[in-house]
């Protein structure tokens, strides 16, 4: 039921066409982007380790830590300049499109994640349980400063009920405030997201299964802004 694991890996990827050849506006992100056709491959060396517990009845828990060292890490960086809708350069952020230049440099990522899915009470009609999760990542540039658009610390949990007839679930996930900012990024407020779902198993046979699912997202009507989005402030 209990296992320890460790992985070492070395990976590389070629720059994508946008990172190489972009030279103009991107309406979805409201950025005016410039690639670099002379980019080298992005290379990374990673180490990962953790502990995992899995029971035959479906109980499971895991904890993992990881670290990645990048050579030629590629990302888009804001410059503080902008462009108007006609493509004219503006030496501040008053234009419609913010200037974004893709660059390569060394970077270090590390983080951790944990998950628990555990059954607490058994009944003739089914079983109740609790689940929890958390994840965190820290990303810095070796030359100094934070990597842009990194997911903040998240944690939460909930309750669930399972039976042959239905599955019920309610959970709350907290996304913390993001203060580890790259140049020209703005802080992102934290928020709670409460979700619930119900799945009814109407039929199961050799031809397949028929299920009906109902789900509700953001039941408390929170204002939630994604820290990795270019348009989170709009």
């Amino acid at each position: 039921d209990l296992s320890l694991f460790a992985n070492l890996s070395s990976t590389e990827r070629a720059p994508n066409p946008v990172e190489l050849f972009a030279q103009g506006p991107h309406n979805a992100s409201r950025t005016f982007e410039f690639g670099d056709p002379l980019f080298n491959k992005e290379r990374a060396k990673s180490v990962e380790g953790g502990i995992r517990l899995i029971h035959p009845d479906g109980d499971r828990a895991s904890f993992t830590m990881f670290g990645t060292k990048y050579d030629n890490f590629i990302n888009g960086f804001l410059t503080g300049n902008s462009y108007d809708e006609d493509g004219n350069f503006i030496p501040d952020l008053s234009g419609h499109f913010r200037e974004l230049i893709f660059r390569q440099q060394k970077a270090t990522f590390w983080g951790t994640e944990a998950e628990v899915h555990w059954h607490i009470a058994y009944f003739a009609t089914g079983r109740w349980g609790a689940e929890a999760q958390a994840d965190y990542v820290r990303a810095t540039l070796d030359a100094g400063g934070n990597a842009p658009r990194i997911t903040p610390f998240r944690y939460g949990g909930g309750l669930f009920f399972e039976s042959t007839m239905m599955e019920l679930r309610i959970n709350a996930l907290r996304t913390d405030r993001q203060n580890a900012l790259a140049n020209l990024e703005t802080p992102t407020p934290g928020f709670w997201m409460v979700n619930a779902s119900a799945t009814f198993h109407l039929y199961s046979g050799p031809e397949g299964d028929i299920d009906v699912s109902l789900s509700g997202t953001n039941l408390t009507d929170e204002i939630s802004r994604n820290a990795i989005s270019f348009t989170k402030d709009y």
Side-chain angles (χ1 to χ4, degrees), residues 69 73 75 77 104-109 138-148 182-183:
K69 188 73 172 178
F73 173 68
N75 210 325
F77 295 83
Q104 277 192 316
Q105 53 192 297
K106 296 180 181 293
T108 302
F109 284 55
R138 185 78 174 92
T140 57
L141 306 174
D142 290 14
N146 299 306
N183 187 40

Side-chain angles (χ1 to χ4, degrees), residues 101-153:
I101 297 178
F102 287 97
R103 296 192 177 107
Q104 277 192 316
Q105 53 192 297
K106 296 180 181 293
T108 302
F109 284 55
W110 67 268
T112 184
E113 57 185 25
E115 180 184 12
V116 177
H117 179 92
W118 212 261
H119 299 95
I120 298 173
Y122 290 77
F123 303 95
T125 56
R127 54 187 185 175
W128 287 91
E131 53 191 4
Q133 67 179 92
D135 58 78
Y136 175 78
V137 63
R138 185 78 174 92
T140 57
L141 306 174
D142 290 14
N146 299 306
R149 294 172 299 281
I150 298 301
T151 303
F153 178 41

Side-chain angles (χ1 to χ4, degrees), residues 54-212:
I54 300 177
H55 283 171
D57 64 358
D59 293 340
R60 63 182 185 272
S62 64
F63 176 79
T64 305
M65 295 190 69
F66 66 89
T68 302
K69 188 73 172 178
Y70 285 95
D71 286 324
N72 300 323
F73 173 68
I74 302 174
N75 210 325
F77 295 83
L78 298 171
T79 66
N81 303 317
S82 62
Y83 288 78
D84 64 19
E85 294 182 346
D86 295 323
N88 298 310
F89 174 79
I90 301 173
D92 55 39
L93 293 175
S94 61
H96 184 77
F97 298 100
R98 293 175 293 170
E99 185 179 57
L100 181 137
I101 297 178
F102 287 97
R103 296 192 177 107
Q104 277 192 316
Q105 53 192 297
K106 296 180 181 293
T108 302
F109 284 55
W110 67 268
T112 184
E113 57 185 25
E115 180 184 12
V116 177
H117 179 92
W118 212 261
H119 299 95
I120 298 173
Y122 290 77
F123 303 95
T125 56
R127 54 187 185 175
W128 287 91
E131 53 191 4
Q133 67 179 92
D135 58 78
Y136 175 78
V137 63
R138 185 78 174 92
T140 57
L141 306 174
D142 290 14
N146 299 306
R149 294 172 299 281
I150 298 301
T151 303
F153 178 41
R154 301 184 303 173
Y155 57 91
L159 300 172
F160 63 87
F161 174 77
E162 301 172 334
S163 74
T164 57
M165 299 295 295
M166 69 179 69
E167 297 176 20
L168 307 176
R169 177 170 276 100
I170 184 169
N171 60 68
L173 181 66
R174 170 70 179 178
T175 300
D176 256 3
R177 179 181 177 88
Q178 180 57 286
N179 288 318
L181 307 176
N183 187 40
L184 299 174
E185 285 189 322
T186 57
T188 308
F191 59 88
W192 282 97
M193 186 68 67
V194 179
N195 305 321
S197 65
T199 300
F200 302 94
H201 306 301
L202 302 183
Y203 174 78
S204 181
E207 305 89 353
D209 301 333
I210 298 177
D211 297 337
V212 173

